[in-house]
Amino acid sequence: MTIAPNVHERLARARADLRMGVPVVLDSGSPAILAAAETLDANRLRSLISAGTGGVLAITARRADTLRARAYDGDIARISLPPDADAAWVRAIADPAGDLMNPMKGPLASHRSGDPDPARIAVRLAKSARLLPAAIVVPVPDAASFAAGHGLTLLNTDAVSDALNDRSPLHSVVSARLPLEVSEAGRLHVFRPEDGGEEHYAIEIGRPDRTKPVLSRLHSACFTGDLMGSLKCDCGPQLRAALAQMGAEGHGVLLYMNQEGRGIGLANKMRAYSLQDQGFDTVEANHRLGFEDDERDFRLGADILKLLGFNAVRLMTNNPAKTRMMQSCGIDVTERVPLHVGENPHNKAYLETKQRKSGHLE
């Protein structure tokens, strides 16, 4: 009888716990308690520090570079917790909002010995929960007993490490007719991942021939641009232009992926916008937050196309990374269709940065 949650379901629980400020526990190898820096309150921080020994604040190498801290573990750094560490100190290290007002946060001592895997998993979990990629990690001698005694989610280190690299399978939930302004022959398909993550959508225009390359757009959700008409990006105009071209040609598929802010979530995207107001460009802002230039997984778009029965596309994009990923996932890109719309005085520098630093085509 299969009733207990599998590793992917436990990970979904763990992400929800971290978002609420509840710690989770890692078992095997180097057992430890993990707590997201962004949501951890002062009382739980004191309890965690007293529960174990040798606690660290794990941050990404990108954030460590901003703080001039050593990232001995390559992709992450394990910062020693000072004896008087409080929630304000933790937040100041994790969140760059106050960096320019309080630039001297160190010296910060980085660990270079011991097992970095719990810290690495903690950062990846926080990032996948759309939180700031920073976490408190405190070793404990008996993870299973600690988790049971405090009612915390228990994760197996080896299983979680592998699962975090997996792409959760998508399944069709429902499809229904959806008349649109650009075409009355519209249809919306909803796809749901097995791991409890956000759903993704495909808007099909007409009845495209599955044996021929379909005009397609891989579009990441943008609340500010798509819905609010933000002038800081070109997302809204690109969305509408892509649908209009599909309507004019009588067929097409727009993949609407819930990967807001290049995969970092709306809250972190707004943090990046705030940093841009301080003078940093879009890439620099992401790095100061601890993220890479782009955290999206374009493979999801290829998965949906295959589920819909397509294996070749005319891809509407200015981003070569989307083309490469489609090709590597078995979707033949027979043509790249440029999509240059929406430039204005507010986003001109942003678009230039995408071309100069992220390889977008003119």
Side-chain angles (χ1 to χ4, degrees):
M1 183 179 293
T2 304
I3 296 178
N6 62 30
V7 63
H8 296 286
E9 292 159 345
R10 286 186 178 277
L11 276 173
R13 283 186 182 179
R15 292 185 184 99
D17 288 346
L18 293 178
R19 287 181 63 85
M20 293 185 292
V22 178
V24 300
V25 181
L26 275 182
D27 198 6
S28 81
S30 303
I33 321 165
L34 319 178
E38 178 178 343
T39 53
L40 183 63
D41 65 27
N43 291 330
R44 275 204 173 102
L45 175 60
R46 287 193 293 270
S47 297
L48 288 182
I49 292 175
S50 64
T53 57
V56 299
L57 174 56
I59 58 176
T60 67
R62 292 293 192 188
R63 181 67 182 140
D65 183 59
T66 294
L67 298 171
R68 301 293 185 266
R70 298 277 186 157
Y72 291 116
D73 302 314
D75 57 334
I76 61 166
R78 291 173 288 152
I79 307 299
S80 297
L81 292 177
D84 59 346
D86 57 15
W89 181 88
V90 170
R91 184 59 182 255
I93 299 300
D95 189 345
D99 282 357
L100 297 188
M101 291 181 291
N102 300 287
M104 298 302 295
K105 292 183 170 63
L108 300 175
S110 299
H111 286 222
R112 62 190 308 170
S113 61
D115 185 2
D117 283 347
R120 182 171 287 115
I121 289 172
V123 167
R124 292 177 66 187
L125 271 174
K127 186 183 288 190
S128 69
R130 301 292 188 263
L131 299 170
L132 287 167
I136 295 292
V137 181
V138 179
V140 288
D142 187 345
S145 295
F146 190 91
H150 295 275
L152 300 177
T153 298
L154 181 66
L155 303 171
N156 178 274
T157 303
D158 294 334
V160 166
S161 184
D162 291 338
L164 285 170
N165 292 323
D166 293 342
R167 184 164 80 261
S168 181
L170 291 167
H171 298 286
S172 176
V173 178
V174 66
S175 62
R177 188 176 67 87
L178 182 66
L180 303 171
E181 289 183 359
V182 299
S183 172
E184 293 185 5
R187 194 168 190 83
L188 178 64
H189 306 266
V190 178
F191 296 89
R192 181 178 296 156
E194 289 182 1
D195 65 0
E198 294 175 300
E199 294 166 351
H200 304 286
Y201 319 120
I203 297 90
E204 184 176 1
I205 303 297
R207 289 291 183 266
D209 187 341
R210 265 59 175 173
T211 66
K212 296 179 180 178
V214 62
L215 182 64
S216 184
R217 163 75 179 161
L218 182 58
H219 189 90
S220 298
C222 179
F223 170 78
T224 52
D226 296 344
L227 273 67
M228 306 306 296
S230 169
L231 298 176
K232 285 182 67 70
C233 65
D234 55 344
C235 302
Q238 285 190 329
L239 172 65
R240 289 181 282 277
L243 285 172
Q245 186 166 339
M246 292 174 189
E249 294 194 14
H251 60 81
V253 175
L254 187 136
L255 307 169
Y256 197 86
M257 317 304 296
N258 270 313
Q259 300 189 106
E260 178 85 41
R262 297 185 191 172
I264 66 176
L266 182 58
N268 287 319
K269 173 179 158 181
M270 290 299 98
R271 290 185 172 113
Y273 275 15
S274 180
L275 291 173
Q276 289 171 36
D277 289 340
Q278 296 179 27
F280 301 103
D281 67 34
T282 181
V283 171
E284 292 166 343
N286 268 30
H287 290 178
R288 293 187 76 87
L289 286 165
F291 295 103
E292 296 302 315
D293 304 20
D294 196 331
E295 297 276 354
R296 291 174 291 183
D297 187 350
F298 296 132
R299 298 175 299 176
L300 296 169
D303 292 344
I304 290 177
L305 285 169
K306 290 176 182 177
L307 288 170
L308 289 173
F310 297 101
N311 56 28
V313 294
R314 297 165 52 223
L315 190 62
M316 304 181 75
T317 186
N318 307 321
N319 186 353
K322 292 182 180 180
T323 302
R324 291 193 295 269
M325 186 57 71
M326 286 287 182
Q327 297 278 21
S328 69
C329 291
I331 298 294
D332 184 20
V333 181
T334 62
E335 178 188 2
R336 184 186 72 84
V337 181
L339 192 59
H340 295 296
V341 291
E343 182 175 328
N344 66 71
H346 295 276
N347 67 20
K348 189 174 188 299
Y350 163 77
L351 297 179
E352 290 173 349
T353 298
K354 286 205 297 184
Q355 291 175 11
R356 187 176 70 257
K357 291 189 174 182
S358 301
H360 286 222
L361 302 172
E362 297 182 5

